[in-house]
Amino acid sequence: MDWTDQIVAEIETRRTRERDRAFVVGIAGGVASGKSRIAGELAGGLRARGLAVEVVGTDGFLLPNAELAERGLMDRKGFPDTYDWLALSALMRTLRAGDPRLSVPTYSHETYDVDGTRTFDRPDVLILEGLVALDARVEPLDLGLYVEAGEEQLMAWYTERFLGLGRQHAPRLADRLRAVGGDPNALAADIWARINGPNLRDHVAPTRARADFVLAKGSDHAIRVITPA
């Protein structure tokens, strides 16, 4: 059975217990683990069953860059202390209350900053994906999924994505690029060593304990569903 069929079947079974509000699925995992793609594939599988689905990224709940810079947190972007937890808690309250309309902040991967809001009707299923999607402060959470891969593999995927998007040319990284001799691969490794790696080990990976299922990814991106120990 394909992983999407397995998880869709699990959601359909669990939804019978709660129909007066959106069913909330949290998908967490390290940077470059493929959370967004997995969320999109899961949403497609659920929509094929006739369910209304919305995908919300936790990136939208990051503090704006200007505020991060003011607080000296730009080099911790993605760590738990760089999120607007009041805003995320407000979304969770509206979900618990079963409000008919929901509003969420959005994030631009072109400007790397929060850039507005999106409003939509309450869906049957809301998929919350991102680094902090399985944080203990995220409630209600009806099903938790953790996307897992080895850190060396994650770093390789991150470097590939980093260079593919041309992020080494971002003005805010000019000083760091010069510091590593102008080598974009070294810049990606530096960012992983200082930010993504520590955040994964200290904050993201521990939330695996809240997952109902682990989506274990191989180097070929094939997914195997396992139950966490």
Side-chain angles (χ1 to χ4, degrees), residues 162 167-178 187 191 194:
F162 182 85
R167 290 183 177 173
Q168 68 271 25
H169 302 303
R172 65 185 178 83
L173 296 177
D175 290 342
R176 296 302 307 176
L177 184 59
R178 284 192 292 270
L187 176 60
I191 293 171
R194 291 185 303 106

Side-chain angles (χ1 to χ4, degrees), residues 74-87:
M74 281 299 292
D75 273 355
R76 288 180 59 83
K77 192 170 184 179
F79 280 66
D81 57 347
T82 62
Y83 286 85
D84 184 345
W85 286 103
L86 290 178

Side-chain angles (χ1 to χ4, degrees), residues 47-63:
R47 288 169 182 145
R49 302 291 184 94
L51 297 174
V53 184
E54 291 287 344
V55 178
V56 174
T58 63
D59 283 353
F61 294 92
L62 284 162
L63 295 170

Side-chain angles (χ1 to χ4, degrees), residues 2 26 28 57 61 79 90 112 114 116 119 122 126 132 141 170 189 204 208 214-215 226 228:
D2 182 81
F61 294 92
F79 280 66
Y112 310 113
V114 180
T119 301
R122 184 183 72 196
L126 185 140
V132 297
L141 190 65
V204 180
R208 181 186 189 275
V214 172
L215 305 183
I226 61 177

Side-chain angles (χ1 to χ4, degrees), residues 92-227:
M92 295 298 106
R93 285 196 301 273
T94 63
L95 286 168
R96 283 194 297 271
D99 288 10
R101 293 281 287 171
L102 300 170
S103 182
V104 298
T106 57
Y107 186 85
S108 169
H109 288 280
E110 294 181 357
T111 63
Y112 310 113
D113 205 354
V114 180
D115 73 343
T117 59
R118 177 168 66 95
T119 301
F120 49 85
D121 292 334
R122 184 183 72 196
D124 297 314
V125 179
L126 185 140
I127 300 174
L128 183 71
E129 63 88 9
L131 296 175
V132 297
L134 296 186
D135 188 281
R137 287 166 283 193
V138 177
E139 288 292 347
L141 190 65
D142 299 299
L143 184 72
L145 306 175
Y146 186 84
V147 185
E148 187 168 68
E151 185 170 344
E152 288 188 6
Q153 185 62 73
L154 289 173
M155 182 178 171
W157 289 337
Y158 169 73
T159 300
E160 180 181 1
R161 186 179 73 181
F162 182 85
L163 299 180
L165 294 174
R167 290 183 177 173
Q168 68 271 25
H169 302 303
R172 65 185 178 83
L173 296 177
D175 290 342
R176 296 302 307 176
L177 184 59
R178 284 192 292 270
V180 296
D183 181 353
N185 284 281
L187 176 60
D190 171 69
I191 293 171
W192 189 274
R194 291 185 303 106
I195 303 172
N196 298 335
N199 192 26
L200 171 67
R201 294 186 293 273
D202 296 342
H203 302 288
V204 180
T207 68
R208 181 186 189 275
R210 294 194 75 211
D212 296 284
F213 298 99
V214 172
L215 305 183
K217 291 186 69 176
S219 59
D220 60 353
H221 298 278
I223 293 174
R224 179 168 54 94
V225 180
I226 61 177
T227 303

